[in-house]
Amino acid sequence: MPFLIVYTFVKVSWLRLPLAAYAAFCYFDPAVDNGIGRRVEWVRELGIWRYVNAYFPVRIVLEEKLDPSLSYIFGVSPHGILCFSGQVVMGSKKSGLDKALPGLTLHPAALHYALTLPLFGAYLLSIGSVSSSRRSIRQCLARGKGHSVGIVIGGAKESLHTNRGSRKLILKNRKGFVREAIMAGAPLVPTYLFGENDIFFQVEHPLLRRLQGWLQSKMMFALPVFYGRFGIIPRRTPLTAVFGSPIFVQKNPNPTYDEINRVHEEYIRQLDRLYSRFKPVYDPDGDDLVIA
C-alpha cells in the first residue's frame, strides 16, 4: 500500500500536495506512540474477518482464565512470515479472543516505523496496535484496567527461520519484554500460535540468506521470499492460539540482571511446557521446539 502512495505521488501531479500532507500526518500521528493507538471497532468487526477466521480455521485455547483487573504482557511466538496469526487473532473480533478474555484489551505491538506508513499504518492502528517502543509499552501498561500488550518476541530475525515444520524461536537473548513486565508488575503470559509457520513456504538459499541477514541488521526488518497457494494466498492451515498460565512477577522499577534472567528462564520453561503439552493435539507432525 505505501508503494501505491509513492506511485500515485509520482504519476498524478495534482494529488502530490494532499498525499504529502497525508504522509506527514502519518509520520507525526500522536496515536503511533501514545500507548493505546487508535482502535476502530467497525474495522475489527468487518464481515471479511468472519471468512478469514473460517478459512483456516482459527481456535482460541486458554489454560486458565485471566483476571481482567490486571494488565499483562503476552509473549507471542512464533513470528511467522507476516505475523498473520497475530493480526487475525488479536486484531479481529471474529476470532473469539474478546469473548475468551472478557475485560481485557489486548494491543498487538508493531514496529514504530510500520505504524507511520501511509494506509498500512492506519490499518495496524485500527486493529488496536501500539508501537513496540519502550515508551509506548509502558504507557499502555500504566493505563491498567486490563490494557495489555501482545509482543511477538522473535521479531524480524525469527521470520527468516520460518518454514513448514520448523519450530525455531529467537528467544534466548530477547529479555526486554521481561524487563518491562517486572518494571510494570505485569504478569507474563506465554502464547504459542500453532500453524503460524505453516501458512507460507519460504525460499531458502545461502546467498539470499546472507542478503536478508544484512538487510535485517541494517534496517531492523527482514525481507523473506515466500509463497503460498496460487502465489501469495496463505495456505489453509488450522491456526490455534494457545494462551498459557500467567507468570506473576514482583514489581520493581529497577530490576537487576539476575532478576531479569531468572524470570526469563522461567518464561522459557513455561513456553516449552506449553508447547509440549499441546503439540500432540495441534502440531503432531511439527519439529521439537528449538530456542535460539
Side-chain angles (χ1 to χ4, degrees), residues 9-289:
F9 182 85
V10 173
K11 293 294 185 179
V12 185
S13 59
W14 63 272
L15 281 177
R16 289 174 183 171
L17 183 59
L19 287 176
Y22 175 59
F25 167 76
C26 293
Y27 186 81
F28 294 104
D29 187 354
V32 169
D33 208 30
N34 67 359
I36 196 171
R38 189 186 294 111
R39 194 171 175 137
V40 181
E41 293 303 324
W42 68 263
V43 174
R44 301 181 67 241
E45 295 176 354
L46 285 172
I48 191 174
W49 289 117
R50 181 184 300 110
Y51 298 105
V52 171
N53 279 271
Y55 174 77
F56 290 101
V58 174
R59 290 170 292 194
I60 306 293
V61 178
L62 270 66
E63 279 201 309
E64 64 178 77
K65 292 183 178 180
L66 300 181
D67 184 351
S69 67
L70 301 177
S71 293
Y72 300 84
I73 289 183
F74 292 79
V76 182
S77 298
H79 183 283
I81 297 290
L82 300 174
C83 198
F84 199 82
S85 298
Q87 299 177 57
V88 175
V89 173
M90 292 186 281
S92 161
K93 269 197 170 184
K94 305 299 183 181
S95 69
L97 184 62
D98 288 4
K99 293 181 179 179
L101 301 175
L104 292 181
T105 304
L106 180 51
H107 301 273
L111 288 176
H112 181 91
Y113 84 88
L115 295 177
T116 65
L117 292 175
L119 298 182
F120 184 63
Y123 156 71
L124 291 176
L125 288 170
S126 70
I127 63 174
S129 298
V130 297
S131 171
S132 58
S133 68
R134 296 179 183 179
R135 177 175 179 269
S136 182
I137 290 173
R138 291 171 185 176
Q139 284 184 316
C140 181
L141 297 175
R143 291 179 181 272
K145 299 180 181 180
H147 282 282
S148 303
V149 183
I151 302 176
V152 185
I153 303 167
K157 188 174 183 179
E158 191 173 274
S159 69
L160 297 178
H161 298 282
T162 296
N163 222 330
R164 186 167 176 79
S166 173
R167 304 296 179 258
K168 185 175 182 179
L169 304 181
I170 305 300
L171 182 57
K172 190 173 292 185
N173 295 319
R174 301 292 176 99
K175 302 178 182 180
F177 72 104
V178 174
R179 180 195 63 241
E180 297 304 320
I182 296 174
M183 291 178 66
L188 285 162
V189 181
T191 305
Y192 194 88
L193 303 174
F194 287 96
E196 173 65 42
N197 280 4
D198 299 330
I199 296 175
F200 296 107
F201 292 102
Q202 182 168 186
V203 177
E204 296 182 343
H205 188 277
L207 292 178
L208 178 61
R209 180 53 55 85
R210 288 180 61 184
L211 175 62
Q212 290 169 328
W214 181 82
L215 287 172
Q216 191 272 324
S217 65
K218 299 296 183 181
M219 303 170 63
M220 299 303 294
F221 66 90
L223 292 174
V225 180
F226 63 94
Y227 61 95
R229 297 178 63 189
F230 313 111
I232 62 172
I233 298 176
R235 297 180 66 255
R236 191 173 189 180
T237 301
L239 299 178
T240 305
V242 179
F243 297 83
S245 300
I247 302 169
F248 293 93
V249 298
Q250 184 174 356
K251 185 175 182 179
N252 182 358
N254 298 293
T256 64
Y257 287 113
D258 289 342
E259 189 176 4
I260 293 172
N261 289 335
R262 176 176 54 78
V263 175
H264 184 260
E265 290 171 1
E266 177 63 17
Y267 177 86
I268 291 178
R269 281 195 295 269
Q270 291 302 320
L271 180 62
D272 186 64
R273 177 196 62 78
L274 186 73
Y275 180 79
S276 298
R277 177 184 175 185
F278 290 96
K279 178 182 183 296
V281 180
Y282 301 118
D283 193 18
D285 300 324
D287 295 344
D288 291 335
L289 199 65

